[in-house]
């Protein structure tokens, strides 16, 4: 029961920080959700067994040449892994000259790398813009402070504190999204 209460308390505090950070927290939160989605999806998609399938490796260990080529080709075509696509290309062009086989394998390899890296550009963009969004929140918080000073002078510390809070919260939120996004991108 205490664990549930602490989690609820944490969620309430987090929502309070989101509200206190102002409108800039909305795109920062969206960036955070998108980054988490990409990281989880890539973690699942890039599992070794999905990139380099065990049946393909086993087939290659037993491969004895042209007599097994058609069976190996059919196995690669049924398998959706990136490695299977490359081996399929090699098998399909086995009668060509070495240089031609090598170039076709490289072309398929580039295509497969593009598939494996899907979403990483978006993650890189999130890592780049999140601190800028945090900076924008900082500037907006400072504007709030200056507006408060203009309206009521330096006599109302609560208004000053709200502006400083907005500035600091958005900066922290932007960095909290950018740092892990950059780490997972690299």
């Amino acid at each position: 029961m205490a664990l549930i209460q602490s989690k609820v308390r944490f969620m309430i505090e987090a929502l309070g920080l989101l509200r206190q950070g102002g409108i800039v927290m909305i795109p920062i939160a969206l960036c955070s959700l998108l980054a988490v989605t990409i990281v989880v999806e890539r973690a699942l998609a890039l599992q070794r067994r999905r990139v380099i399938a065990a049946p393909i490796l086993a087939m290659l260990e037993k491969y004895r040449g042209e007599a097994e080529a058609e069976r190996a080709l059919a196995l690669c075509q049924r398998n959706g892994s990136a490695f299977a696509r490359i081996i399929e290309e090699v098998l399909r062009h086995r009668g060509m000259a070495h240089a031609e086989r090598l170039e076709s394998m490289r072309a398929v390899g580039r295509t497969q790398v593009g598939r494996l890296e899907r979403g990483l550009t978006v993650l890189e963009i999130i890592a780049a813009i999140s601190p800028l969004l945090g900076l924008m929140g900082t500037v907006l918080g400072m504007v709030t402070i200056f507006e408060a000073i203009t309206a009521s002078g330096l006599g109302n510390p609560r208004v000053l504190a709200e502006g400083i809070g907005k500035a600091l919260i958005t900066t922290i939120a932007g960095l909290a999204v950018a740092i892990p996004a950059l780490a997972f991108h690299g």
Side-chain angles (χ1 to χ4, degrees):
M1 186 66 162
L3 179 64
I4 293 173
Q5 288 175 340
S6 69
K7 295 224 183 245
V8 169
R9 191 172 27 252
F10 173 77
M11 293 300 291
I12 291 170
E13 289 173 8
L15 288 173
L17 288 175
L18 285 173
R19 195 170 331 134
Q20 188 178 353
I23 192 80
V24 176
M25 292 299 283
I26 294 171
I28 291 174
L30 291 174
C31 284
S32 176
L33 289 173
L34 186 56
V36 167
T37 302
I38 291 169
V39 168
V40 168
E41 187 275 332
R42 290 289 81 199
L44 294 173
L46 296 177
Q47 293 175 357
R48 180 177 169 84
R49 64 183 169 81
R50 291 187 180 195
V51 177
I52 301 174
I56 303 300
L57 285 176
M59 176 269 303
L60 287 175
E61 288 174 2
K62 297 175 187 174
Y63 186 73
R64 298 291 178 244
E66 192 61 39
E68 298 177 20
E70 289 305 316
R71 189 173 62 82
L73 185 61
L75 176 65
C76 288
Q77 289 170 340
R78 286 191 308 269
N79 191 288
S81 72
F83 187 61
R85 296 286 73 77
I86 294 169
I87 299 302
E88 176 185 346
E89 189 70 13
V90 170
L91 290 170
R92 201 175 318 129
H93 294 99
R94 64 188 179 275
M96 292 182 168
H98 177 73
E100 292 171 340
R101 280 194 323 259
L102 192 59
E103 186 53 41
S104 71
M105 183 177 70
R106 284 181 179 154
V108 169
R110 284 188 294 271
T111 301
Q112 293 306 310
V113 166
R115 253 185 65 223
L116 296 173
E117 291 179 344
R118 185 181 66 225
L120 294 184
T121 302
V122 175
L123 200 58
E124 185 177 16
I125 291 168
I126 289 169
I129 67 169
S130 294
L132 296 175
L133 289 168
L135 179 62
M136 185 167 75
T138 301
V139 171
L140 290 173
M142 298 306 287
V143 167
T144 302
I145 292 170
F146 290 126
E147 287 175 348
I149 290 171
T150 302
S152 61
L154 293 171
N156 189 351
R158 180 184 169 117
V159 176
L160 295 175
E162 286 176 7
I164 292 169
K166 178 188 282 189
L168 295 176
I169 289 169
T170 57
T171 301
I172 290 168
L175 291 173
V177 171
I179 292 169
L182 187 60
F184 281 107
H185 176 268

